[in-house]
Structures are given as C-alpha cells and as structure tokens.
Amino acid sequence: MSAAGLFYVGAVLIINGLLLLGVISAKAAAPLNLFVGSLQVVVPTVLLVQAADTFAIADAAPLYLFGFTYLWVGVNAITGWEQHGLGWFSLFVSATALTTAVYTGLIRGDGPFAVIWLYWAVLWFLFFCVLGVERTHLARLTGWFAIITGVVTAAVPGALLVSGYWPTNTPVAIALACVGVLSLAWLWLSTARPAPEETTPAEPAHST
C-alpha cells in the first residue's frame, strides 16, 4: 500500500468509527468512503501493472479488499441497501488479512506490518459480527476500535512513511501489539457487554 493511500485509509476508518458510534450519519460518511475506496482500487491496479515479481503482486492484490469495502459502504449509504452482504464480505476480508499477516511476518520479515494486518483482521471480523450476524451490542466496541485502528495502523504509519521516519523493527511490532490487545480488553470491559434484561420485581405475598 502506498504511504499516501495508507494515510487516507486512516481518515476513512476514523469516519466509519464515528458512523458506528452514531456521531455522523451514513450519508455524511459516504463521500469519503467513495473517494478512498476509489483510490484503493486505482492504486493496486497501478501496482499490479508495474509489478516485476510475485512479491509485488502479493503486496498489491489484497488492497482491493479494502477498496471494495469502502466503496460498498458508500454505495449502501446512498442507496439504503441492507448491510448483510457487506458484513459477510468482511468475514472474507478478515480471513485474508489474517493470512496476509502470517505472510508479511514470516515471508517478508516485516514485523510491524504483520501486526498491522492483524489489527485489520480483527476489525473486519468485528464488522462481520455487527453487520453480518447483527451482534449490535458490539457496535460501540467496533466503532472505537475502528478509530484506534485508523490512527495506529494507518494515519500515523502513513505520515511517517511519507516523511521517511517509519521504523521497521521488533520493538515497534511489540508496541503495536500491546496497544491493540490493551485497547480491545478495555473496550470489551467498557462497551461490549449486552445490557442486562430488565426483570419485573416479584409482588409481595399476601397474608391470609
């Protein structure tokens, strides 16, 4: 993924997190999803055309998954189509991101971006839970984790890559992993539990 493209992915993840939190409407989020989705289709196409080896192809091909996701969000917002198809597609994206994380870490030797792909695998699995199988009690967790993921895995790395200051070493990978695990734990404890069902208090027994 290009550094500039990664930076704008951060923006769209933050916007979609705010959408899930109910801060903005679907139609308000649609333009940026369409813009970034189009970018994430054009960029991998250019990369594939210019690819000189299988590594370049393997790096570019998964990017379509995210471009299609953002375009789908934008189209659904404009048309009012229901979200189940997008939810189940997100499960496919999650599985692909998980395998890409393994490939990035073991084959390419890039620990930080292997962890970043794990973030994306978890986030898209949460999208599947909320949109595909309607686990609505996870919407706030997913919204906040989308915002955290947008900042930690896209906006900040994208800005650092553009400026030439992105470090690719084991401490960075460990720090990213710790932020992700701690964020999920905190969000689960604070937002993810279903609200308890209200119970009707028992009527006092009448004496005879």
Side-chain angles (χ1 to χ4, degrees), residues 62 65-66 69 88-98 117 120-121 124-125:
L65 298 171
F66 305 109
T69 297
W88 282 94
F89 175 69
S90 296
L91 180 61
F92 179 79
V93 176
S94 177
T96 304
L98 183 60
W117 277 102
W120 295 339
W124 262 257
F125 182 76

Side-chain angles (χ1 to χ4, degrees), residues 39-118:
L39 179 67
Q40 291 300 98
V41 169
V42 171
V43 168
T45 300
V46 172
L47 293 175
L48 286 174
V49 170
Q50 297 176 344
D53 53 43
T54 55
F55 289 121
I57 294 172
D59 289 341
L63 304 184
Y64 285 109
L65 298 171
F66 305 109
F68 294 160
T69 297
Y70 306 137
L71 288 174
W72 204 331
V73 171
V75 170
N76 280 3
I78 293 171
T79 62
W81 291 343
E82 57 95 23
Q83 304 281 359
H84 288 97
L86 174 59
W88 282 94
F89 175 69
S90 296
L91 180 61
F92 179 79
V93 176
S94 177
T96 304
L98 183 60
T99 57
T100 304
V102 175
Y103 162 80
T104 302
L106 296 182
I107 306 300
R108 301 305 298 271
D110 189 336
F113 262 94
V115 175
I116 284 173
W117 277 102
L118 288 176

